[in-house]
Amino acid sequence: MTGVERVVVVGAGVAGLTTAVVLAEAGLAVHVVAEEIPGVTSLAAGAMWGPYLVEPKAKVDEWSRRSLEVFRELAGDPATGVRLTSGIEASRTAEVPPEWATTLPDHRPCEAAELPPGFTAGYRFTVPLIDMPVYLGYLLRRLEATGGTVEERRVPSLAQAGPADVLVNCSGMGARELAPDGDLRPIRGQHVVVENPGLTEFFSEDTGTSPELLCFYPHGKTVVLGGTAVEGEVGLARDDEAAAGILARCAEVEPRLAGARVLDHRVGARPTRAAVRVEEERATVGARVVHNYGHGGAGVTLSWGCAGEALRLAL
């Protein structure tokens, strides 16, 4: 049909697994190869849909809308780990909501009584929350149900990822060496997972470009608390001081979180560049190369849209 018989996807984070699913369900023979399956940075995500601090805007808007459509469909199945959840994004300074939030059908300004002390504005809306360990497991099962295969091994170069007619590079921070791409930089993120003391709604503070984030996302019996965004940090060791700060910030907004039993610490390095890279490169590795990386903290939000674009390029 297309001359494409075998596709190898490098990377098994949310970008890689979603792309592999889309390619496999389009009828292509897909093999995923990655050092860790699923990828640790995606496992560490919160995760809430929202195209925040990522470019290019026109394409990001298109890709994120497509992902929102898919997540709304998946929210009907508890096995996916996706839930449509109401909550608040608030600010201590800003009066204008993020543009993407205003496009949601139930978006409305908060009443003053809905806001925690110290916040001057806020907006309520309903978005998909994604329980990442559950969701990535779902993607793996969906890929394998189509005949897709996975292989856990380190890929030292794209040339050694094949054989394939098309290589799709979803390697996240690995693309700094594999592409190679010197514009790619890590932004270290950390979350703390606690027992849920009864929360059903999310909360997120618009902290701009601060390295200290404040958010909490309930996932049934657990809540993911965030977070950090430390520029240039790639190490994945737990930072106990940062974890204590996360717990304190979240408990200040939601007192029920004070003393909640800590279950886990999750750390990842968001692969960030000036613009998300989804494009074909005429490479010299014996196969066509399609890049799909550099999503920053919006990997989940852009995943289905970018996967569709990668499929178009692959074909």
Side-chain angles (χ1 to χ4, degrees):
M1 177 175 66
T2 63
V4 177
E5 294 184 2
R6 177 178 164 88
V7 180
V8 170
V9 176
V10 180
V14 70
L17 292 180
T18 308
T19 300
V21 166
V22 168
L23 292 166
E25 292 182 352
L28 300 175
V30 177
H31 182 66
V32 175
V33 58
E35 188 169 3
E36 294 173 299
I37 301 175
V40 293
T41 291
S42 290
L43 278 171
M48 183 180 91
W49 179 92
Y52 190 58
L53 293 178
V54 64
E55 296 288 345
K57 184 181 183 306
K59 296 298 287 185
V60 162
D61 287 348
E62 174 189 333
W63 293 332
S64 59
R65 280 195 302 270
R66 173 57 184 152
S67 296
L68 181 59
E69 292 172 1
V70 176
F71 286 132
R72 282 174 169 159
E73 295 170 2
L74 295 178
D77 180 359
T80 65
V82 181
R83 298 177 182 84
L84 293 179
T85 307
S86 177
I88 290 172
E89 175 153 323
S91 172
R92 302 174 200 262
T93 56
E95 297 295 331
V96 179
E99 183 182 342
W100 55 264
T102 65
T103 66
L104 300 170
D106 64 343
H107 168 272
R108 67 166 176 83
C110 289
E111 303 290 340
E114 295 179 271
L115 296 173
F119 287 82
T120 60
Y123 307 89
R124 177 174 289 280
F125 46 84
T126 300
V127 288
L129 290 190
I130 298 94
D131 185 339
M132 291 306 291
V134 176
Y135 180 62
L136 293 171
Y138 160 76
L139 289 179
L140 278 165
R141 294 193 303 274
R142 184 164 162 178
L143 173 64
E144 290 166 354
T146 63
T149 55
V150 298
E151 177 187 2
E152 198 167 77
R153 68 175 170 93
R154 185 176 177 276
V155 178
S157 70
L158 290 180
Q160 293 171 273
D165 300 297
V166 179
L167 293 171
V168 185
N169 174 24
C170 300
S171 59
M173 278 309 306
R176 193 159 57 170
E177 286 73 39
L178 292 180
D181 187 345
D183 293 332
L184 193 63
R185 68 190 194 282
I187 297 182
R188 186 182 191 273
Q190 180 164 332
H191 287 104
V192 180
V193 184
V194 301
E195 280 188 347
N196 191 346
L199 277 61
T200 58
E201 296 195 331
F202 72 82
F203 182 89
S204 177
E205 179 181 355
D206 180 359
T207 52
T209 56
S210 169
E212 294 187 346
L213 312 182
L214 196 171
C215 57
F216 45 84
Y217 306 127
H219 296 295
K221 295 181 180 180
T222 64
V223 186
V224 177
L225 315 182
T228 61
V230 184
E231 184 85 31
E233 288 282 339
V234 73
L236 300 183
R238 185 177 90 198
D239 183 332
D240 289 333
E241 184 178 346
I246 291 167
L247 289 161
R249 291 194 296 275
C250 290
E252 184 179 7
V253 169
E254 175 47 80
R256 285 179 292 175
L257 291 169
R261 187 164 74 94
V262 174
L263 302 175
D264 195 12
H265 297 265
R266 298 176 184 169
V267 184
R270 305 174 182 98
T272 307
R273 65 198 306 274
V276 177
R277 188 182 188 191
V278 185
E279 64 183 13
E280 183 180 355
E281 179 183 16
R282 294 293 177 178
T284 57
V285 297
R288 289 192 296 118
V289 174
V290 173
H291 295 289
N292 178 13
Y293 67 86
H295 307 95
V300 174
T301 298
L302 302 179
S303 55
W304 289 97
C306 288
E309 183 88 352
L311 171 64
R312 184 185 66 79
L313 294 169
L315 295 179

